[in-house]
Amino acid sequence: MSLSIALVDDHILVRNAIADLLRKNGFKIVCEADNGKILIEYLKKNGLPDIILLDINMPVMNGYETMECIAESYDKHKVIALSMYDDENSIIRMIKAGASGYLLKESKPAELLEAIETVYQKGFYHSSLVNTHLIKTLKSDNNNKKDKKSKIEFNTKELEILQLLCTEMSYKEIGSKLGLSSRTVESYRDSICEKTDINSRIGLVLYAIRNGFVKV
């Protein structure tokens, strides 16, 4: 079966290289776009392809805006964010918006092919950047439209910090907002990590979304 792929990237050389790789491996490129607006117009006329590969930094309509628009309009989308950004905020924003996976452009071709097949078959893909179990659970919960509160109990300050960790604010900015030092914020974060058995901010964000502490 030849999977249909929509490829959205404003760098023509990168887009052409990826398209050539995918065609050589039996995939069908049904849409090539250099911004999200063009993709959305394509989807309105043609519906969803099997997989969408979506860059983040684009003119007119960037990846974050495009992902949000796709998630609002289509229930069974399968989108892989393909970006140069490896920072927590970028990953968090795309996963919160509804991406099924996040892959760096510097990844090897074999990993891209694996990601496409995995997202198509399982609905999610992880790289070393993102925790597999949490993404799987998050996607499952979103599809079932069930927001369940965790049995873990947080005090008021921990809950407040957990919610702020789901924003783009730095630890220093969170501390400033709450009248705490960044070190104190990190101490609360460590306490939350210990309670949840999660060891990264990205993991905590996914946990918070999964359990209804923040809304996607």
Side-chain angles (χ1 to χ4, degrees):
M1 178 181 178
S2 178
L3 299 184
S4 57
I5 309 288
L7 180 55
V8 193
D9 194 310
D10 64 317
H11 292 92
I12 297 176
L13 291 177
V14 173
R15 193 172 73 229
N16 287 346
I18 295 174
D20 287 344
L21 170 69
L22 296 180
R23 289 191 181 100
K24 288 177 181 178
N25 283 274
F27 297 102
K28 181 180 180 182
I29 308 300
V30 295
C31 174
E32 289 188 52
D34 58 16
N35 63 68
K37 184 177 180 181
I38 295 174
L39 172 69
I40 297 303
E41 291 173 352
Y42 170 85
L43 296 181
K44 288 178 180 178
K45 294 179 181 179
N46 302 279
L48 285 172
D50 293 318
I51 299 289
I52 297 172
L53 297 180
L54 183 62
D55 189 17
I56 293 179
N57 187 20
M58 299 181 293
V60 184
M61 189 175 187
N62 64 37
Y64 304 120
E65 297 166 336
T66 305
M67 185 66 254
E68 290 172 357
C69 186
I70 293 171
E72 288 176 1
S73 303
Y74 304 94
D75 291 333
K76 297 183 179 180
H77 59 81
K78 294 180 178 179
V79 180
I80 299 173
L82 191 60
S83 177
M84 295 176 63
Y85 301 145
D86 63 354
D87 60 287
E88 286 184 338
N89 285 339
S90 297
I91 299 170
I92 288 169
R93 284 188 67 180
M94 286 304 286
I95 296 299
K96 283 180 66 179
S100 300
Y102 195 104
L103 203 63
L104 294 180
K105 288 185 178 180
E106 64 184 34
S107 300
K108 294 181 179 180
E111 184 174 10
L112 173 59
L113 299 176
E114 179 188 358
I116 291 172
E117 293 286 357
T118 302
V119 167
Y120 179 72
Q121 294 175 12
K122 298 182 179 180
F124 69 96
Y125 175 79
H126 84 289
S127 65
S128 58
L129 293 170
V130 187
N131 182 287
T132 318
H133 175 72
L134 288 174
I135 282 191
K136 181 177 181 180
T137 307
L138 172 61
K139 295 293 291 183
S140 175
D141 286 352
N142 282 346
N143 289 338
N144 292 327
K145 297 181 180 180
K146 294 180 180 179
D147 289 326
K148 298 180 180 179
K149 294 292 183 181
S150 169
K151 294 180 179 179
I152 298 173
E153 293 185 0
F154 301 106
N155 61 42
T156 302
K157 190 61 67 177
E158 287 174 338
L159 181 57
E160 191 172 13
I161 288 176
L162 176 60
Q163 292 169 335
L164 289 173
L165 287 174
C166 298
T167 69
E168 298 174 50
M169 297 173 68
S170 67
Y171 293 114
K172 183 177 180 180
E173 290 170 333
I174 293 173
S176 179
K177 180 179 178 65
L178 300 178
L180 303 171
S181 68
S182 58
R183 184 178 295 275
T184 300
V185 172
E186 291 174 0
S187 178
Y188 275 110
R189 177 208 59 196
D190 291 343
S191 175
I192 297 169
C193 284
E194 185 175 352
K195 286 185 177 182
T196 58
D197 196 26
I198 295 171
N199 58 13
S200 72
R201 181 170 178 174
I202 295 169
L204 289 177
V205 171
L206 295 174
Y207 170 86
I209 296 171
R210 182 190 68 182
N211 290 287
F213 291 111
V214 295
K215 294 181 179 180
V216 178

